[in-house]
Amino acid sequence: MATLAFLDPLTRWWWRLVGREIDITELSWLDAPSSRTSMVDDDAWMAQWAERLHGSVERRSPGAGLIPHMSELAGPGLDPADIAEEIRDFYEHTSAWSMEAWAEWSPLFWPGGELISRLFGKRVQQLALPMRALDVARGMDSTVSVIRDADGVQQTAGWIRRLRSNGDKVFSGAYRVGRLPASDRASVHVTFPLENGSVQVYLRPRVEADGSLWLESLPGSFGGDGAYMVVRFGRRHFATRVPVHETFHLYLDESRVLRTDHVLKLWSATVVRLHYKLTPA
């Protein structure tokens, strides 16, 4: 796999070519954790980000959540009190929940997904989406580490998910509540660190009358909720909005079991659907 490492700087140059140069101090909403090495080292990127915050990392913290208080999402059109109690508990105490998963790829995109998984995902240990149903048949293990600032306040959560069947890492993500400059309320900001860069997704929350929660990154212009690729060359940063759109629907089924439907699209075409069953550990 080391022989494929030359692909990483090539892809960064591609994103530099198609992206725009940004001042990361002005567009601080795109300032996020990254990796210093090709293979994403979870402990390393979390330690580096904690250092940026002059804080510390609480590794694999029991009962830790991706969002310390769902009230942080409050704003026009969204009252966190309307979200089902189980969903709020999942986000505030994520490590206290276990996860089963199912994946269904579009036949059109499966070959490309398999190629990307082999060339990048499994090699760099990041965004290695499961390609086959049996890959996730035994569920996923997950750990949450809390990154605190100098005052001890949680600013970011590192959520690492691995396949229980073989221990392979699927996602290494940084989760926090973020606010876009032109938005009237907060979004869920997810960052997947990569070498000298990151994939970032801003997800706009929406609550249904039944207490279910939608998190959506829909089409739009630069600066809105959506997916972004950010790369760094020395002190220069380049960013582009990518046409990847995701929806997460968290809801309680008829037996009050917490479930999530996750759909990932490229432009308007569905690439993969994932379903999660979430139960208190």
Side-chain angles (χ1 to χ4, degrees), residues 2-273:
T3 58
L4 296 175
F6 75 93
L7 292 172
D8 301 330
L10 289 180
T11 55
R12 286 195 295 277
W13 274 99
W14 165 255
W15 290 115
R16 172 176 175 162
L17 178 65
V18 302
R20 64 175 75 179
E21 185 168 3
I22 63 169
D23 184 338
I24 200 69
T25 59
E26 291 184 3
L27 300 185
S28 57
W29 51 276
L30 286 175
D31 190 10
S34 63
S35 173
R36 292 177 181 172
T37 57
S38 178
M39 181 178 290
V40 176
D41 183 328
D42 307 320
D43 290 336
W45 74 252
M46 285 190 278
Q48 291 157 19
W49 192 245
E51 185 179 353
R52 284 276 305 276
L53 299 173
H54 306 289
S56 61
V57 182
E58 205 174 278
R59 301 190 187 281
R60 299 162 182 82
S61 178
L66 304 182
I67 299 174
H69 304 288
M70 290 293 276
S71 58
E72 295 180 25
L73 295 177
L78 191 147
D79 183 352
D82 293 336
I83 302 172
E85 180 181 353
E86 291 86 346
I87 297 174
R88 284 186 278 120
D89 188 78
F90 169 74
Y91 276 100
E92 295 177 350
H93 306 285
T94 311
S95 61
W97 290 72
S98 63
M99 177 183 297
E100 295 179 60
W102 293 263
E104 181 182 68
W105 279 80
S106 161
L108 179 65
F109 290 101
W110 187 91
E114 177 72 10
L115 182 63
I116 292 172
S117 177
R118 290 175 179 270
L119 293 180
F120 293 98
K122 293 181 179 179
R123 178 175 58 83
V124 306
Q125 294 287 283
Q126 180 63 287
L127 294 171
L129 288 169
M131 299 304 303
R132 298 165 182 81
L134 287 178
D135 290 344
V136 289
R138 296 185 182 179
M140 287 187 186
D141 287 325
S142 72
T143 58
V144 178
S145 297
V146 174
I147 303 172
R148 302 186 184 277
D149 62 17
D151 297 321
V153 177
Q154 177 175 330
Q155 295 294 334
T156 308
W159 192 19
I160 316 303
R161 280 162 287 176
R162 295 180 179 274
L163 295 176
R164 195 170 296 153
S165 57
N166 56 19
D168 283 353
K169 194 192 321 179
V170 181
F171 299 110
S172 174
Y175 289 72
R176 60 182 176 179
V177 174
R179 186 179 293 273
L180 293 162
S183 180
D184 59 349
R185 54 182 165 84
S187 299
V188 176
H189 181 201
V190 185
T191 299
F192 300 103
L194 296 169
E195 184 180 16
N196 293 322
S198 60
V199 174
Q200 301 181 38
V201 185
Y202 273 86
L203 297 156
R204 185 173 177 85
R206 175 168 60 89
V207 184
E208 295 282 2
D210 61 359
S212 65
L213 175 67
W214 288 84
L215 297 173
E216 301 169 301
S217 64
L218 302 175
S221 58
F222 192 97
D225 290 284
Y228 296 83
M229 175 66 73
V230 179
V231 294
R232 184 180 71 248
F233 287 80
R235 295 185 177 181
R236 302 173 69 188
H237 293 79
F238 299 81
T240 185
R241 179 163 178 156
V242 294
V244 173
H245 312 299
E246 294 182 89
T247 60
F248 296 82
H249 183 207
L250 290 89
Y251 61 94
L252 297 170
D253 67 14
E254 60 278 2
S255 300
R256 294 199 67 81
V257 174
L258 181 54
R259 297 181 180 274
T260 302
D261 292 326
H262 175 194
V263 179
L264 185 149
K265 294 185 177 183
L266 183 64
W267 285 286
S268 60
T270 298
V271 176
V272 60
R273 297 177 182 271

